[in-house]
Amino acid sequence: MSGFLVRRLATILPTLLFVTILVFGLQQLLPGDPAVALSGEDRDPSVIAYLHQKMHLDDPLPVRYGYWLRDLAHGDFGESIRIQQPVLGLILEKLPVTAQLASMAILIAIVIGVSAGIVSAVKKDSIWDYGANLFALWGLSTPNFWLGIMLILLVAVKLGWLPASGYVSPAEDLRANLAAMIMPAFVLGNSYAAVLMRHTRSAMLQVLNADYVRTARAKGLDERVVVLRHALRNALIPVITLGALSFGELLGGTVLTESVFTIPGFGKLIVDAVFNRDYAVVQGVVLFTATAYIVLNLLADLGYFLVNPRMRG
Amino acid sequence: MHLKSWVSRIGFALGVVVGLAASAHAQTLRIGLAEDPDVLDPTQARTFVGRIVFAAMCDKLVDIDENLKIVPQLATSWEWSADNKALTMKLRQGVTFQDGEPFNAEAVKFNIERHKTMQGSNRKAELALVTGVDVIDPSTVRLDLSAPFAPLLATLADRAGMMVSPKAAQAAGDKFGAQPVCSGPFKFAERVAQDRIVLEKYPGYWNKDAIHFDKVIYLPVVDNTVRLANLQSGQLDFIERLGTSDVQGVERDSRLKIAKIVGLGYQGIDFNVGKSDIAKTTVLRDPRVREAFSLSLDRDAIVQVAMDGQAVAGDQWVPPNSPFFAKNVPVPKRDVAKAKALLKEAGVTNPSFTLMTPTTNEAQKLGQVVQAMASEAGFNIKLQSTEFATSLNLADKGEFEAYILEWSGRADPDGNLYNFLACGAPINYTGYCQPEAEQLLKAQRTTLDAAERQQMFDKIAAREAADLPIVYLYNRYWLWAYNKKLTGVREVPDALLRVQGLKME
């Protein structure tokens, strides 16, 4: 296992370096002069010239990439030109928000998705199975922004149970925080639950037909033990991979849901930054989320070892 | 327990939580913004939405009222010198900045100089003609100009006239926007990017009797529907930029009120008449073709379709209700026959061109309506939908034939006019440069007599209507919706909410 771990860890640094090149390079493909986009309505030539100088826009690309890498090595992610705040500060400010939203969403997705998947596999071709499939179809085919707005109109405006949008820090008021987060987390979790349900179902169906499960049944084990202890453990492998990838995706920010519910997370940060050509913010956030993604992938690999002893050899 | 009763219990508990939260914020005014403002430093600020926050935080030397009249704020009176090259202002006494520092003539001098010299200042061009500031006594200051400049007072009614604490500004340098200190009724407390800007009442405000809230919180909620939902559910007290299609619904809601303010800006279509080589080849190079295009459009119908009726049809850089509107050039009626005749005369019965359109809903709708209307006169318009920042760059380089562009507007008509039509001006995307217009554009800037200046605007309007570098279409309403209990809402055409006098009944 340690050899595997070392090999996996060794790939991280080159991957990250590749990511920096990609992030930096792709950004240059955005059309237009960022200084013009950032200079406001009046487009004062002196302001544009100042921004050129401040963002090193007149230097050759490799030089600018070098500046960025040098600053990164010093832990400096740069500064948002638009609101003049350090990018690292912005990331650290948004991270707990997005992390909470992602965690709640994935929790909802797992609770709903995995249990629905198990039920529909175990009760294959029953009304439960059809019900779960219908739910999955709904989850997959409902656009988040639509569901979000409908929920806001129903739960916040019509019933007045929850705030329509916005964010409250849990440190400030935990109940208000949960009240603000539960709707967006549900909207996000809903679509991931559908995917998880489909994967859990097919994995479970495969495993339930396996020899060792038949053996377990033949030994006279309780069906619940067979399903939850023996079958589910193996079936969970693809689900863990998917869960980790989904979580990584969620950590990268969920643009539409964050926009609809006005949750100040990564998604909103990066979209605003792209439209405003706030390069330092785009680069910082993408690099950060890419790193998170890589780390989560690594954790998923480690997860296999924990649930499946055969892979430890 | 039955599911139904669980649901109602949870709902009740959440309702209590939200209700408690609402009562605790009774003295807080919550305002929903359509965007997150940029940096909160009046010298560097660039966006319209930022000005809404400044209106509660930073007092200006002068203000404008509902009729675009210049009224006192930090300056109580002013006087032009005989040659109109110096403006002497008497300052309000006993005013302090939010850090307790005194506001006086020295502070004005510091601020004007900061606007003029700070790196990255967006106020440099606005104050270009101000050559110096003389402190005459602690409450009298004189601004010296290189030439008379009629728009100066209106400029001082915006960010260039906002006064920040010299001590705080010197200490913070170019980081001042993170912790701004002004002399307005509310002082900066906290900002979480894209989430909220919190201002707290400044107890030392000179006009504190007009302030009835302890806190103002600005919350950027980008989606129109969600912004309105927040107002309807009581989490917000006031929202700016209500969606045009939501107006009817709000009008029916007995708990809400609506304000429709004819804005200072305009929606137009810029033609490339001299910005690049495209101007020499495009079919639009012939003024008759541009006139035919203008005549093919039914501006009232455009307002109904593209703006749900929430705008006034216009044909100038100021709306028809503005005191600066040139009455000699009334809004033209649609005349397809005349448009066809003009095209025939120009020798192009089916002119085709590309119209660059930003990707906003409104601009897209507008593009489609224009395309359909003009086709009836024989035009074949190709729509090129382009993301906003990209479209600006293309416009800047002259890589377009026609471009849908909106301008938020300035209190003085010069701000809607000069930089768009003067030769080589920074936002003159059309590349228009015409000697007679140029001479008039310059002359109106140096003419302080209102009647004489209006005559020049009339002449410019006639010239512009003949040359048509820009076809103006309409002037939008700024739509506000707010809690009916909120009183004292003043509808000033710059669409910036004044917090003085606001009260929750």
Side-chain angles (χ1 to χ4, degrees), chain B residues 309-360:
Chain B
Q310 304 306 324
V312 285
D315 68 333
Q316 290 173 32
W317 47 90
V318 289
N321 71 335
S322 162
F324 301 106
F325 186 80
K327 295 188 179 61
N328 55 321
V329 184
V331 183
K333 290 267 168 272
R334 188 183 199 209
D335 191 339
V336 178
K338 194 173 172 196
K340 281 183 174 164
L342 276 166
L343 288 180
K344 202 171 170 191
E345 201 183 305
V348 276
T349 42
N350 284 104
S352 62
F353 67 91
T354 303
L355 175 60
M356 182 161 72
T357 315
T359 47
T360 58

XYZ file of all heavy atoms in Angstrom, chain B residues 309-360:
387
model
N -42.713 47.848 -21.757
C -43.301 49.179 -21.558
C -42.602 50.014 -20.496
O -43.049 51.121 -20.196
N -41.511 49.508 -19.921
C -40.873 50.223 -18.806
C -39.735 51.139 -19.275
O -38.608 51.055 -18.791
C -40.369 49.223 -17.761
C -41.441 48.293 -17.246
C -42.657 49.038 -16.703
O -42.527 50.100 -16.096
N -43.855 48.518 -16.950
N -40.040 51.992 -20.237
C -39.064 52.951 -20.741
C -39.833 54.004 -21.530
O -41.022 53.822 -21.801
C -38.047 52.253 -21.645
N -39.180 55.102 -21.872
C -39.826 56.066 -22.761
C -39.048 56.088 -24.071
O -37.814 56.068 -24.077
C -39.871 57.502 -22.183
C -40.916 57.616 -21.102
C -38.519 57.942 -21.663
N -39.803 56.103 -25.168
C -39.160 56.161 -26.481
C -38.409 57.476 -26.595
O -38.896 58.521 -26.168
C -40.219 56.060 -27.570
N -37.207 57.430 -27.158
C -36.411 58.645 -27.237
C -35.586 58.680 -28.505
O -35.490 57.690 -29.227
N -34.988 59.831 -28.758
C -34.128 59.937 -29.934
C -32.907 60.795 -29.625
O -32.239 61.264 -30.542
C -34.909 60.521 -31.117
C -35.278 61.980 -30.891
O -35.401 62.381 -29.708
O -35.431 62.724 -31.876
N -32.666 60.995 -28.319
C -31.512 61.818 -27.953
C -30.785 61.213 -26.753
O -31.252 60.254 -26.168
C -31.971 63.237 -27.610
C -32.462 64.002 -28.835
C -33.081 65.335 -28.471
O -32.680 65.979 -27.502
N -34.067 65.756 -29.241
N -29.696 61.854 -26.389
C -28.872 61.371 -25.281
C -29.497 61.688 -23.931
O -28.996 61.271 -22.898
C -27.470 61.979 -25.374
C -27.535 63.466 -25.616
C -27.578 64.448 -24.669
C -27.633 64.114 -26.868
N -27.697 65.666 -25.253
C -27.723 65.498 -26.606
C -27.651 63.665 -28.194
C -27.843 66.448 -27.637
C -27.766 64.612 -29.196
C -27.852 65.978 -28.915
N -30.563 62.483 -23.927
C -31.326 62.710 -22.701
C -32.783 62.356 -22.996
O -33.226 62.440 -24.137
C -31.232 64.175 -22.203
C -29.849 64.476 -21.654
C -31.593 65.146 -23.307
N -33.528 61.936 -21.954
C -34.920 61.552 -22.197
C -35.802 62.749 -22.543
O -35.461 63.887 -22.203
C -35.354 60.922 -20.874
C -34.389 61.403 -19.859
C -33.103 61.674 -20.574
N -36.931 62.513 -23.197
C -37.803 63.613 -23.638
C -38.311 64.493 -22.483
O -38.664 65.640 -22.711
C -38.978 62.893 -24.305
C -38.424 61.582 -24.738
C -37.402 61.216 -23.721
N -38.330 63.972 -21.252
C -38.809 64.801 -20.143
C -37.694 65.625 -19.508
O -37.912 66.366 -18.550
C -39.480 63.929 -19.077
C -38.474 63.096 -18.316
O -37.389 62.804 -18.825
N -38.813 62.709 -17.098
N -36.481 65.498 -20.032
C -35.351 66.222 -19.443
C -35.403 67.695 -19.839
O -35.789 68.033 -20.957
C -34.043 65.613 -19.951
O -32.971 66.507 -19.755
N -35.000 68.574 -18.914
C -34.940 69.988 -19.290
C -33.934 70.253 -20.417
O -33.979 71.304 -21.056
C -34.516 70.685 -17.986
C -34.000 69.622 -17.095
C -34.648 68.347 -17.519
N -33.050 69.307 -20.670
C -32.023 69.496 -21.700
C -32.421 68.892 -23.050
O -31.642 68.903 -23.996
C -30.697 68.869 -21.244
C -30.164 69.441 -19.966
C -30.230 68.732 -18.783
C -29.596 70.709 -19.945
C -29.741 69.249 -17.598
C -29.099 71.236 -18.765
C -29.173 70.511 -17.588
N -33.621 68.342 -23.148
C -34.052 67.714 -24.399
C -34.202 68.776 -25.492
O -34.772 69.843 -25.263
C -35.400 67.011 -24.169
C -35.881 66.209 -25.353
C -35.386 64.937 -25.604
C -36.833 66.725 -26.215
C -35.835 64.187 -26.680
C -37.284 65.984 -27.299
C -36.788 64.713 -27.534
N -33.675 68.487 -26.679
C -33.763 69.447 -27.790
C -35.115 69.272 -28.475
O -35.342 68.277 -29.178
C -32.628 69.205 -28.779
N -35.992 70.251 -28.279
C -37.372 70.095 -28.773
C -37.466 70.218 -30.286
O -38.471 69.836 -30.880
C -38.286 71.119 -28.095
C -38.394 70.873 -26.606
C -39.438 71.738 -25.938
C -39.526 71.441 -24.449
N -38.277 71.705 -23.702
N -36.416 70.747 -30.903
C -36.431 70.883 -32.360
C -36.236 69.537 -33.066
O -36.394 69.431 -34.280
C -35.342 71.867 -32.819
C -33.969 71.467 -32.301
O -33.841 71.011 -31.159
N -32.950 71.632 -33.136
N -35.877 68.506 -32.301
C -35.696 67.183 -32.902
C -36.599 66.185 -32.162
O -36.152 65.442 -31.305
C -34.216 66.729 -32.826
C -34.029 65.398 -33.541
C -33.298 67.777 -33.437
N -37.912 66.191 -32.493
C -38.830 65.299 -31.785
C -38.574 63.836 -32.146
O -37.943 63.538 -33.165
C -40.209 65.748 -32.273
C -39.975 66.427 -33.567
C -38.589 67.001 -33.527
N -39.089 62.948 -31.301
C -38.889 61.514 -31.542
C -39.570 61.141 -32.859
O -40.768 61.373 -33.030
C -39.494 60.689 -30.378
C -39.232 59.198 -30.595
C -38.914 61.143 -29.040
N -38.823 60.585 -33.823
C -39.423 60.302 -35.131
C -40.425 59.154 -35.071
O -40.266 58.216 -34.306
C -38.215 59.922 -35.995
C -37.179 59.475 -35.055
C -37.404 60.181 -33.757
N -41.459 59.273 -35.913
C -42.435 58.181 -36.041
C -41.909 57.194 -37.079
O -41.130 57.560 -37.968
C -43.780 58.745 -36.508
C -44.467 59.569 -35.441
C -45.426 58.701 -34.615
C -45.916 59.420 -33.368
N -45.052 59.253 -32.184
N -42.387 55.970 -36.992
C -41.961 54.966 -37.958
C -42.504 55.321 -39.342
O -43.655 55.743 -39.471
C -42.491 53.600 -37.541
C -41.914 52.492 -38.398
C -42.489 51.147 -38.021
N -41.614 50.096 -38.533
C -42.048 48.888 -38.877
N -43.323 48.585 -38.744
N -41.214 47.992 -39.343
N -41.662 55.201 -40.365
C -42.094 55.517 -41.727
C -41.366 54.573 -42.688
O -40.305 54.914 -43.238
C -41.773 56.990 -42.029
C -42.429 57.462 -43.323
O -42.785 56.600 -44.168
O -42.572 58.687 -43.498
N -41.957 53.403 -42.877
C -41.292 52.374 -43.686
C -41.177 52.814 -45.147
O -40.146 52.583 -45.799
C -42.044 51.031 -43.583
C -41.392 49.967 -44.456
C -42.070 50.555 -42.135
N -42.219 53.502 -45.644
C -42.190 53.930 -47.045
C -41.021 54.886 -47.281
O -40.268 54.742 -48.262
C -43.514 54.616 -47.390
N -40.854 55.813 -46.338
C -39.761 56.770 -46.493
C -38.404 56.060 -46.366
O -37.441 56.383 -47.067
C -39.877 57.874 -45.445
C -38.992 59.064 -45.737
C -39.245 60.220 -44.798
C -38.183 61.294 -45.022
N -38.123 62.244 -43.921
N -38.362 55.089 -45.468
C -37.126 54.324 -45.302
C -36.764 53.626 -46.607
O -35.610 53.662 -47.054
C -37.294 53.306 -44.179
N -37.785 53.018 -47.248
C -37.531 52.318 -48.513
C -37.069 53.291 -49.584
O -36.148 53.003 -50.364
C -38.802 51.601 -48.967
C -39.041 50.293 -48.229
C -40.274 49.600 -48.773
C -40.428 48.215 -48.148
N -41.757 47.666 -48.340
N -37.711 54.468 -49.594
C -37.352 55.478 -50.587
C -35.900 55.922 -50.407
O -35.146 56.075 -51.376
C -38.293 56.674 -50.472
N -35.498 56.091 -49.149
C -34.122 56.507 -48.868
C -33.116 55.450 -49.321
O -32.063 55.760 -49.884
C -33.947 56.758 -47.373
C -34.368 58.144 -46.869
C -34.461 58.140 -45.347
C -33.388 59.215 -47.333
N -33.485 54.188 -49.085
C -32.590 53.100 -49.490
C -32.461 53.057 -51.017
O -31.376 52.836 -51.551
C -33.114 51.758 -48.967
C -32.980 51.538 -47.458
C -33.526 50.177 -47.061
C -31.529 51.668 -47.009
N -33.583 53.301 -51.674
C -33.580 53.310 -53.140
C -32.654 54.415 -53.650
O -31.832 54.212 -54.553
C -35.008 53.513 -53.638
C -35.230 53.033 -55.051
C -36.705 53.070 -55.379
C -36.882 52.827 -56.882
N -38.246 53.109 -57.311
N -32.809 55.580 -52.998
C -31.991 56.746 -53.352
C -30.501 56.428 -53.163
O -29.645 56.833 -53.947
C -32.411 57.881 -52.433
C -32.078 59.271 -52.913
C -32.477 60.296 -51.858
O -33.662 60.307 -51.431
O -31.585 61.058 -51.431
N -30.218 55.690 -52.078
C -28.815 55.354 -51.790
C -28.323 54.203 -52.672
O -27.134 53.874 -52.660
C -28.675 54.983 -50.318
N -29.259 53.586 -53.399
C -28.850 52.522 -54.314
C -28.650 51.167 -53.657
O -28.001 50.294 -54.215
N -29.165 51.006 -52.432
C -29.070 49.698 -51.767
C -30.447 49.333 -51.217
O -30.826 49.773 -50.147
C -28.039 49.689 -50.618
C -26.646 49.450 -51.132
C -28.078 50.993 -49.812
N -31.182 48.543 -51.970
C -32.544 48.244 -51.510
C -32.551 47.162 -50.438
O -33.476 47.083 -49.647
C -33.427 47.805 -52.688
O -32.662 46.939 -53.511
C -33.913 48.999 -53.487
N -31.530 46.309 -50.400
C -31.467 45.275 -49.367
C -30.131 45.307 -48.620
O -29.345 44.366 -48.700
C -31.695 43.888 -49.965
C -33.154 43.655 -50.272
O -33.555 43.713 -51.433
N -33.964 43.438 -49.255
N -29.899 46.389 -47.906
C -28.599 46.489 -47.212
C -28.510 45.436 -46.102
O -29.490 45.199 -45.404
C -28.621 47.892 -46.614
C -30.059 48.251 -46.509
C -30.792 47.506 -47.575
N -27.352 44.819 -45.980
C -27.204 43.872 -44.867
C -25.992 44.266 -44.032
O -24.973 44.720 -44.559
C -27.101 42.445 -45.376
O -25.973 42.313 -46.170
N -26.147 44.131 -42.740
C -25.037 44.426 -41.823
C -25.173 43.585 -40.564
O -26.213 42.981 -40.301
C -24.967 45.918 -41.495
C -26.127 46.456 -40.697
C -26.091 46.474 -39.310
C -27.252 46.979 -41.337
C -27.148 46.996 -38.577
C -28.313 47.494 -40.609
C -28.268 47.498 -39.224
N -24.082 43.558 -39.788
C -24.057 42.774 -38.558
C -24.252 43.701 -37.365
O -23.593 44.732 -37.258
C -22.710 42.037 -38.434
O -22.543 41.241 -39.605
C -22.685 41.140 -37.215
N -25.154 43.303 -36.485
C -25.418 44.088 -35.285
C -24.864 43.324 -34.083
O -25.327 42.227 -33.760
C -26.929 44.305 -35.129
C -27.430 45.013 -33.882
C -26.844 46.413 -33.756
C -28.953 45.094 -33.877
N -23.867 43.914 -33.444
C -23.265 43.260 -32.276
C -24.148 43.532 -31.056
O -24.494 44.671 -30.768
C -21.854 43.790 -32.050
C -21.141 43.136 -30.895
S -19.343 43.349 -30.978
C -19.165 45.082 -30.576
N -24.488 42.445 -30.352
C -25.463 42.527 -29.270
C -24.916 41.889 -28.005
O -24.562 40.710 -28.034
C -26.730 41.734 -29.688
O -27.048 42.079 -31.021
C -27.900 42.044 -28.807
N -24.810 42.622 -26.905
C -24.395 41.975 -25.654
C -25.362 40.851 -25.279
O -26.500 40.813 -25.761
C -24.444 43.103 -24.618
C -24.345 44.358 -25.414
C -24.998 44.062 -26.724
N -24.914 39.945 -24.421
C -25.692 38.733 -24.172
C -26.793 38.895 -23.117
O -27.443 37.913 -22.772
C -24.764 37.581 -23.731
O -23.892 38.091 -22.737
C -23.977 37.038 -24.872
N -27.008 40.093 -22.620
C -28.080 40.249 -21.631
C -29.429 40.002 -22.313
O -29.579 40.210 -23.514
C -28.106 41.667 -21.042
O -28.268 42.593 -22.114
C -26.834 41.987 -20.292
